Amino acid sequence: MTIQNSSAKTAVVFFSGKGHTREIAQRLAGEFGVEAEEIEPAEHYSDADLNYTVDDCRANRESFDPQARPALAADIPNVSGYDIVFLGYPIWWGDAAAPLRTFVESVNWAGKTVVPFCTSGGSSITRSVSTLSSLAGAGEWHRGIWIRAHASGEAIAAELKRAGL
Ligand SMILES: Cc1cc2nc3c(=O)[nH]c(=O)nc-3n(C[C@H](O)[C@H](O)[C@H](O)COP(=O)(O)O)c2cc1C
């Protein structure tokens, strides 16, 4: 799959709790000359919500409840006109952050190529791609790319190349 120089319409959408994934998504979008669009939850995550050292924090409760589908804001990104969707998120407990479940189930992925990308403290993206692609039930899902927090545009371009994109 070669994205740069192709006529495919490319979108970059992301969820970010603390800003690491947002920064990467914006740089990645810059590589394609598009704007990154944010998947915003209806109720934003506070620092306490994301404090995973507290067993019962919101992010932990959602992570460990496979049925949890956190509500999203009314104006979530509309990817219906796009061929290729880069989908970015942080890893929570080895899997995609819970709001991704809600988003992925709200989109018709048929005919689209999805390229998941994540930031994390080191955990790989593999399990999250399997979770999200099975919730999506359609689309061609790339194996995904892990991008180091604060990676430069050049480093991101190198990751894309390494991933064959
Ligand atoms: C609830 C929660 C669980 C996390 N679990 C993991 C994990 O299992 N593995 C890991 O490498 N990082 C984990 N992290 C760290 C985040 O993946 C990492 O800080 C990420 O870059 C945050 O992105 P953001 O700033 O866009 O929210 C976790 C963070 C949170 C808030």
Side-chain angles (χ1 to χ4, degrees), residues 2-74:
T2 311
I3 294 175
Q4 274 140 334
N5 307 322
S6 95
S7 60
K9 284 194 73 184
T10 301
V12 176
V13 302
F14 68 96
F15 163 76
S16 180
K18 292 215 166 186
H20 295 99
T21 312
R22 178 182 301 109
E23 183 187 347
I24 295 301
Q26 287 170 343
R27 279 191 197 135
L28 178 66
E31 294 295 311
F32 300 111
V34 300
E35 292 286 323
E37 290 187 71
E38 186 157 3
I39 300 165
E40 292 197 56
E43 195 188 326
H44 280 269
Y45 290 82
S46 66
D47 285 350
D49 288 339
L50 296 170
N51 184 2
Y52 57 86
T53 62
V54 174
D55 283 353
D56 194 36
C57 78
R58 176 183 170 197
N60 286 4
R61 275 188 274 115
E62 292 173 354
S63 296
F64 291 107
D65 174 3
Q67 305 307 320
R69 297 292 184 275
L72 302 179

Side-chain angles (χ1 to χ4, degrees), residues 69-85:
R69 297 292 184 275
L72 302 179
D75 56 343
I76 53 168
N78 179 356
V79 296
S80 61
Y82 293 90
D83 307 302
I84 300 169
V85 180

Side-chain angles (χ1 to χ4, degrees), residues 121-132:
S123 291
S124 107
I125 196 168
T126 308
R127 191 165 121 209
S128 65
V129 177
S130 152
T131 300
L132 296 179

Side-chain angles (χ1 to χ4, degrees), residues 75-164:
D75 56 343
I76 53 168
N78 179 356
V79 296
S80 61
Y82 293 90
D83 307 302
I84 300 169
V85 180
F86 282 81
L87 181 62
Y89 49 87
I91 296 294
W92 287 0
W93 296 103
D95 214 319
L100 267 294
R101 300 179 201 147
T102 319
F103 182 71
V104 155
E105 287 182 342
S106 74
V107 171
N108 177 3
W109 297 100
K112 298 187 192 308
T113 296
V114 190
V115 185
F117 65 98
C118 77
T119 66
S120 76
S123 291
S124 107
I125 196 168
T126 308
R127 191 165 121 209
S128 65
V129 177
S130 152
T131 300
L132 296 179
S133 60
S134 80
L135 291 176
E140 189 190 320
W141 286 69
H142 184 272
R143 68 182 179 278
I145 43 181
W146 180 89
I147 302 179
R148 187 175 299 286
H150 310 303
S152 66
E154 274 174 9
I156 293 170
E159 285 298 333
L160 290 174
K161 202 168 168 196
R162 232 158 54 113

